[in-house]
């Protein structure tokens, strides 16, 4: 009897262990998070509530603000080159322009360099991209794509897809406004195309609010009777800039920096907005500006009225496109919540760069000034990221890919120059050894009648040092040099003056006072130049392959 009882006791003791072992053998590994990367084109930090700009009171992005409040907001996220194609290449490669080979709008990202989808597929992810691509080569490393040709159209856009014909001949036509259509395509992919047994990585790229601004008709009356707050620097640029951006006696302000006002004789915003006017698209050729027109710009009372009128129309069109983006993000979030996907999905929102909304009387992007260089960036993922978190840690768009790879359970590859900020996302704290600065370079000297001189620089939390070297990346003085002379609106062969600019952002956040020549900042300048040299060498961003540019650097490095 004792023997029988002992066998039962032993069996009872062992049985749960056997069940436990069996459960462990059949238990599925922890589910990896889905990742949705949402990016709007030229959506700048001024056009949000959360970034506290003069436009915040208009409440332009209630849905995006809510999303941001449920995660972490980055106040110091910066683009490395404020123009569409190079920025997108940096995001997908984790590399700066010279490393990935995409320095301007003509660069293309071939399959061998589409690193982010490659790495995430290694980790078991299904990958997809919908909307604006703009990197010219086929996005073949994505499992699924449906992308706009080039900039694409705001209304009834065509999309390029994978098909029987060679890229880019497989084209699908759609009807509607692009922000709505792009979201429709994403929702269809989530519902009908994705593999529910795999985690997914989806890049959802809006065309909006890129110029020329065309909103869906339902927003025609949005802000119609609202006065849009105006930046003071649109009327008085004080001591912003240098001879590199203003010319001697401010003469070059007539061709440098496309403007809201009539200041820029080549391209100003009235030429972009008023289709029924005599000035619409009547851009001038810089070479044909008469010598007597190179005079210092004066803002008369009549011109101030004109500038305000243009600005109000400019901002309303822009913000109507932003409104369409904000509403469509809500559509996407609502679907994720309905399907139970929201909590296990990392959601990132950003723009591909910043954008000038009249600050310093500038339109478009390209500048290293704050409004063009700063990117909106926030992330929601409740499992790892505490709601209501905010950080001033410096990140840039080369850091995105390493971070996403680590969030997906991998390790950032050594060939990527960016750094993973996964620890900042999950703790809200900036590590002691985290990067203290970020590098910037704009290569497209005097392009597209926007008239932005080529420049590079360094930005820390307190200071920004910029060097305008004023040369195209091809040596246009060489009679045997070849470049795309058919590039629209190029003034590549014009040399603009070399000059330095320094801004003390702790005292001058709007960059209204260039203190480079102030003796009080002599030590700051020396330190920042030393850091800039190190950054350029570490990132392989020197000009050893561009001796005509290096010559200018050598001649002006020690300018007072």
């Amino acid at each position: 009897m004792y023997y029988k009882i002992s066998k039962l006791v032993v069996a009872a003791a062992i049985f749960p262990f056997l069940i436990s072992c069996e459960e462990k053998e059949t238990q599925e590994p922890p589910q990896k998070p889905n990742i949705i990367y949402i990016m709007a084109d030229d959506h700048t930090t001024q056009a949000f509530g959360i970034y506290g700009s003069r436009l915040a009171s208009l409440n332009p992005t209630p849905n995006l603000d809510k999303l941001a409040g449920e995660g972490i907001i980055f106040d110091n996220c910066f683009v490395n080159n404020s123009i569409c194609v190079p920025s997108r290449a940096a995001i997908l490669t984790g590399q700066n322009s010279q490393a990935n080979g995409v320095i301007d709008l003509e660069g293309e990202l071939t399959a061998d360099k589409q690193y982010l989808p490659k790495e995430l597929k290694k980790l078991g992810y299904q990958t997809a991209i919908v909307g604006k691509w703009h990197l010219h080569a086929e996005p073949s490393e994505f499992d699924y794509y449906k992308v706009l040709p080039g900039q694409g159209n705001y209304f009834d856009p065509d999309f390029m897809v994978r098909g029987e014909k060679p890229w880019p001949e497989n084209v699908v036509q759609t009807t509607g406004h692009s922000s709505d259509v792009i979201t429709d395509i994403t929702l269809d992919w989530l519902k009908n195309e994705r593999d529910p047994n795999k985690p997914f990585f989806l890049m959802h790229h809006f065309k909006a609010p890129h110029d020329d601004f065309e909103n869906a008709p339902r927003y025609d009356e949005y802000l119609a009777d609202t006065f849009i707050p105006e930046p003071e620097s649109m009327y008085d640029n004080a001591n912003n800039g240098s001879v590199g951006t203003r010319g001697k006696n401010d003469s070059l302000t007539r061709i440098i920096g496309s403007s809201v006002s009539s200041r820029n004789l080549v391209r100003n915003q009235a030429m972009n907005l008023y289709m029924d006017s005599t000035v619409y698209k009547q851009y001038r050729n810089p070479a044909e500006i008469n010598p007597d027109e190179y005079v210092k710009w004066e803002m008369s009372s009549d011109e101030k009225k004109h500038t305000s009128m243009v600005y109000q129309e400019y901002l309303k069109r822009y913000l109507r496109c932003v409104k369409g983006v904000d509403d469509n993000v809500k559509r996407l979030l609502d679907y994720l919540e309905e399907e139970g996907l929201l909590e296990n999905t990392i959601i990132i929102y950003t723009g591909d760069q910043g954008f000038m909304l009249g600050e310093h009387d500038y339109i478009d992007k390209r500048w290293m000034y704050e409004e063009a260089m700063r990117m909106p960036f926030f992330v929601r993922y409740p499992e790892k990221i505490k709601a209501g978190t905010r950080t001033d840690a410096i990140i840039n768009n080369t850091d995105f890919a390493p971070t996403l790879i680590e969030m997906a359970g991998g390790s950032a590859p050594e060939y990527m120059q960016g750094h993973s900020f996964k620890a900042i996302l999950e703790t809200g704290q900036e590590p002691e050894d985290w990067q203290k600065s970020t590098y910037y370079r704009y290569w497209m000297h005097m392009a597209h009648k926007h008239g932005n001189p080529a420049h590079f620089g360094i930005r820390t939390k307190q200071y920004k040092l910029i060097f305008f070297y004023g040369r195209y990346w091809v040596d246009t003085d060489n009679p045997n040099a070849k470049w795309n002379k058919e590039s629209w609106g190029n003034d590549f062969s014009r040399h603009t003056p070399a000059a330095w600019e320094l801004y003390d952002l702790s005292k001058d956040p709007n960059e209204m006072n260039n203190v480079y020549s102030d003796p009080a900042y002599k030590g700051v300048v020396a330190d920042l130049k030393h850091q800039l040299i190190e950054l350029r060498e570490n990132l392989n961003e020197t000009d050893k392959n561009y001796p005509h540019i290096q010559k200018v650097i050598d001649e002006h490095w020690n300018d007072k």
Side-chain angles (χ1 to χ4, degrees), residues 59-123:
N59 194 28
T61 52
N63 298 304
L64 289 169
D65 291 354
K66 181 177 182 294
L67 176 69
E70 293 173 353
I72 184 170
I73 300 169
F74 283 78
D75 288 318
N76 281 331
C77 178
F78 300 105
V79 68
N80 69 329
N81 184 349
S82 186
I83 193 73
C84 296
V85 176
S87 173
R88 291 162 189 269
I91 289 164
L92 284 163
T93 62
Q95 297 175 335
N96 283 275
S97 296
Q98 288 200 59
N100 64 39
V102 181
I103 64 175
D104 60 15
L105 287 178
E106 296 177 18
E108 66 177 47
L109 196 69
T110 51
D112 59 310
K113 291 187 176 180
Q114 293 170 23
Y115 297 138
L116 184 54
K118 281 177 182 282
E119 295 294 337
L120 289 174
K121 282 198 286 188
K122 290 178 187 176
L123 297 171

Side-chain angles (χ1 to χ4, degrees), residues 293-552:
E293 294 181 274
Y294 284 95
V295 294
K296 184 175 180 177
W297 168 248
E298 300 288 349
M299 178 77 75
S300 66
S301 57
D302 285 344
E303 178 58 38
K304 188 171 183 178
K305 292 177 183 176
H306 167 80
T307 301
S308 179
M309 178 187 73
V310 172
Y311 171 85
Q312 293 296 320
E313 182 67 20
Y314 171 28
L315 267 289
K316 287 175 183 180
R317 292 192 190 186
Y318 179 89
L319 290 172
R320 285 166 186 159
C321 290
V322 167
K323 179 67 172 170
V325 168
D326 189 70
D327 287 346
N328 272 290
V329 169
K330 185 177 187 302
R331 289 179 61 205
L332 178 53
L333 295 175
D334 286 347
Y335 172 79
L336 294 173
E337 186 169 25
E338 290 167 6
E339 296 300 312
L341 294 170
L342 187 61
E343 297 310 298
N344 192 45
T345 299
I346 299 168
I347 301 174
I348 300 104
Y349 186 89
T350 187
D352 57 348
Q353 60 252 329
F355 205 69
M356 308 300 294
L357 296 178
E359 299 84 8
H360 311 293
D361 190 30
Y362 291 139
I363 60 176
D364 203 66
K365 51 263 185 179
R366 304 169 191 253
W367 296 106
M368 195 180 166
Y369 299 132
E370 284 295 277
E371 294 83 4
M373 183 186 182
R374 186 189 299 276
M375 305 170 76
F377 192 87
F378 44 89
V379 187
R380 181 192 189 276
Y381 182 40
E383 184 177 324
K384 298 286 186 179
I385 299 172
K386 184 179 178 182
T389 307
R390 199 158 194 144
T391 178
D392 69 348
I394 290 176
I395 63 171
N396 67 58
N397 55 339
T398 68
D399 298 325
F400 297 177
T403 304
L404 292 175
I405 290 167
E406 286 205 357
M407 293 291 283
S411 297
E414 291 185 3
Y415 61 76
M416 290 189 174
Q417 296 175 316
H419 306 98
S420 171
F421 50 87
K422 178 175 179 282
I424 299 174
L425 291 174
E426 296 180 348
T427 67
Q429 302 298 314
E430 179 182 346
E432 288 186 11
D433 60 350
W434 186 248
Q435 58 201 13
K436 301 298 187 290
S437 65
T438 189
Y439 179 73
Y440 181 88
R441 183 158 191 178
Y442 175 71
W443 293 80
M444 293 182 62
H445 179 66
M446 301 299 285
H448 303 153
K449 299 187 187 292
H450 283 298
N452 303 75
H455 56 287
F456 61 74
I458 183 173
R459 204 247 195 233
T460 68
K461 287 185 181 179
Q462 185 170 355
Y463 299 108
K464 181 183 293 181
L465 181 69
I466 312 172
F467 179 58
F468 288 90
Y469 57 89
R471 300 290 187 276
Y472 187 49
W473 61 270
V474 176
D475 184 1
T476 58
D477 291 340
N478 181 349
N480 298 316
K482 295 181 180 180
W483 69 90
N484 182 8
K485 296 179 182 179
E486 302 303 315
S487 175
W488 181 83
N490 83 70
D491 195 18
F492 297 154
S493 60
R494 179 188 297 273
H495 299 339
T496 56
W500 289 92
E501 297 179 16
L502 173 69
Y503 298 97
D504 185 342
L505 302 171
S506 64
K507 299 177 180 178
D508 179 28
N510 295 323
E511 298 171 312
M512 298 301 291
N513 186 26
N514 175 14
V515 295
Y516 177 79
S517 298
D518 186 334
Y521 288 91
K522 183 178 179 180
V524 172
V525 168
D527 178 57
L528 289 173
K529 284 185 178 180
H530 176 72
Q531 291 186 51
L532 184 54
I533 289 172
E534 285 192 341
L535 260 182
R536 281 165 56 80
E537 289 178 349
N538 291 340
L539 296 173
N540 192 27
E541 280 286 331
T542 66
D543 283 278
K544 64 182 180 181
N545 296 324
Y546 305 95
H548 66 294
I549 297 175
Q550 187 61 50
K551 184 174 184 290
V552 177

Side-chain angles (χ1 to χ4, degrees), residues 1-16:
M1 184 70 175
Y2 175 79
Y3 173 74
K4 291 182 180 179
I5 292 174
S6 297
K7 287 182 69 175
L8 290 172
V9 170
V10 170
I14 293 174
F15 187 64

